[in-house]
Amino acid sequence: MEQSVDIKAINERIKEESSFVDLLTMEMNKVIVGQKHLVEGLLIGLLSDGHILLEGVPGLAKTLAINTLATIVDAKFSRIQFTPDLLPADLLGTMIYSQKKEEFIVKQGPIFTNFVLADEINRAPAKVQSALLEAMQERQVTIGETTYPLEEPFLVMATQNPIEQEGTYPLPEAQVDRFMLKLVLDYPKKDEEQMIIRHNLAKTFPKASTILKPEDIIRARQVVKDVYMDEKIEKYIVDITFATRYPEQYGLEKFKDMISYGASPRASISLSMASKAFAFIKRRGYVIPEDVRAICHDVLRHRIGLSYEAEANNVTSEEIISEILNQVEVP
Amino acid sequence: MKIDTYITWLRNAMLVIGLMMCSFSSFGQDVTVSAQMDSTVIFIGGQIDLKLQLSQPQDLELSFPLLTDTITRNIEIVRFNELDTLSRDNGRFLIEQNFRITSFDSGLHYIPPIVFEEASQKLGAILQTEPMALMVVNPFEEVDPQKGIVDIKKPQETPFHLSELYKYLPWVLGLLALAGIVTFVALKYFGKDVPVKIFKKEEPIIPPHEKALEALGKIKEEKLWQHNRVKEYYSGVTDTLRHYIEERFEIRAMEQTTDEIMDSFKGVDVSGVKSIDNLKQILMTADLVKFAKHEPLPDENDLSMINAYFFVNQTKEEEIKSLEEEKAEMLKKEENEAVTE
């Protein structure tokens, strides 16, 4: 009975705490037309303390989305264009000699902010990618002999262009795994595009209002952690992750030779966290299988390694995830 | 006198010359040679036989001309046989040699007389065959370089004939024999333990609703929620219904969430909207119990079971009875009516 009361209390608390979700979505929708999935993904990343890798052609409002989010949350925002000649110091900061003070002083880089947009991350060499991904993981940066913690909330949204692959440095699997979600953006619908034209041709471009403070997000993250996840859901998540590693055990023998490596335990953690955040957005105090399924593609698509056989047969990780969801029994 | 002597000498000389002339002509008639071809017309590359013959008295030793590669510039020898000597009754020999000849140049080819040179020298007279002619016909179209280069024609396929399979016949027969031996050995030594059921009785197919009702009955009997096993109770009820939906409506309900199942029913013709509402109530309550530690009231638990029964009964597929069953049922009904009368 006590446990039942707890759930009720969590439910009530979440209903209270998640009231900002509707407001935030409304403000985002003022500026961003369509791209509901992007907005939802940003919120999940923000609430579950995860970073986002975005794949989409240029001009799909990626920068605008994160800029708007920063405005709504009253947070600092930096946009870093990754280029082949970028150096880790350009990102993290460095020590410069001050003639006035006659000593070396620290010049912090653009990473010292709340929201970072790493544009075209695969255009910079591995050392820069590594510097960013290390900061993402450790939440701190060391310059000289001093370690500086990064500001909270800290959200990195990195973009990748799916077309031009020449002269790029593809992210290694170990580093891609550090992104909680990989969102694939598509073009807007016809009516949405019409609306985009109107927004841009209007005398004043719509502007989002600030409705939250970074502290609100940090508090909401704590509430998200309290969202109840039953043992059955945990098992369901584990089953899905295991199905990516040993598909033959789940009646998917056809994928055995197509998957070179399956999702890591970090994927299970991300799937659980993102499910909780999704339940929170839906203003629920407990996770249901629908939540897991809703974010499963975004969490797993960059964590499944495809073999040459899969590529030869044009089998994508999307198809594998869909088949897994259709095969694993829902609790 | 001198004139008489001269005339006598001249007469004798003429006699001797006349005698000598006679002996030579008779010798020439005794040895004859001939050449014969199978045909005088061939297609280009075609082959025919050329037969050389020499007829001679048995006491003579004459040799044949040595022909190895060609007869003329255009006519080639493909192969030739050994000399064949036939003995005739009149004390003569007939010596033959066959040549297989061909030609790759179209046109009319003149074959000059074939001279038996050694024999001619021996006999002091020319021994040769009659001249011949061979017509070589080109059946193909003349290549006109003005038309340009064209592709090489593909080899023509010959029609399939059963005789082509004859070469595999020994293998097939061998494999069949081997399979027969293996089957015989297997049946002889292990066959006793393996009962062969050719006419196996088919197991009756239990309709999905019967299975579902039986499973629901079992859950009810176990009194799970009464023993504080509410989660198990709802898992049992929902699993039973999901299996039923899967078999009855061919919806993959076991791998679908509540929302997905309800969505799947949108395209299905279900009798009565109420049954769908009942299903929704059960699944949603079960979700709350399973994933949100919800503890429903006893009435709710009972209602879920009643709704599950209601859903199965409302959506079950009507059984189609066989004619015999219908007849038996009618007879039984008539008997009952007769008894009551």
Side-chain angles (χ1 to χ4, degrees), chain B residues 42-47 74-76 78 102-106 109 136:
Chain B
I42 59 165
F43 281 128
I44 196 162
Q47 294 180 356
N74 298 320
I75 300 169
E76 293 172 24
V78 180
T102 186
S103 176
F104 296 101
D105 290 316
S106 58
H109 301 306
V136 180

Side-chain angles (χ1 to χ4, degrees), chain A residues 228 230 286 290 293 326, chain B residues 231 252 255 259 288 293:
Chain A
Y228 174 70
D230 194 80
Y286 54 92
E290 275 89 341
R293 288 170 83 104
N326 286 336
Chain B
K231 218 170 180 175
R252 290 174 63 101
E255 290 84 27
D259 286 349
L288 285 172
K293 292 190 174 182

Side-chain angles (χ1 to χ4, degrees), chain A residues 232-233 236 289 329-331, chain B residues 239 242 254 256 287 290-291:
Chain A
K232 277 174 181 280
I233 301 288
Y236 183 50
E329 274 191 20
V330 176
Chain B
D239 283 352
R242 280 168 155 187
M254 284 307 288
Q256 287 185 344
D287 277 355
K290 286 194 283 184
F291 311 125

Side-chain angles (χ1 to χ4, degrees), chain B residues 220 225-226 230 233-234 237 278 281-282 285-286 289 294-308:
Chain B
K220 205 175 166 186
W225 68 263
Q226 289 90 337
V230 188
Y233 173 75
Y234 275 95
V237 173
N278 290 334
Q281 178 274 322
I282 302 162
T285 313
V289 173
H294 173 61
E295 286 189 3
L297 296 168
D299 287 351
E300 263 183 287
N301 297 333
D302 278 336
L303 181 71
S304 294
M305 183 56 86
I306 291 164
N307 281 343

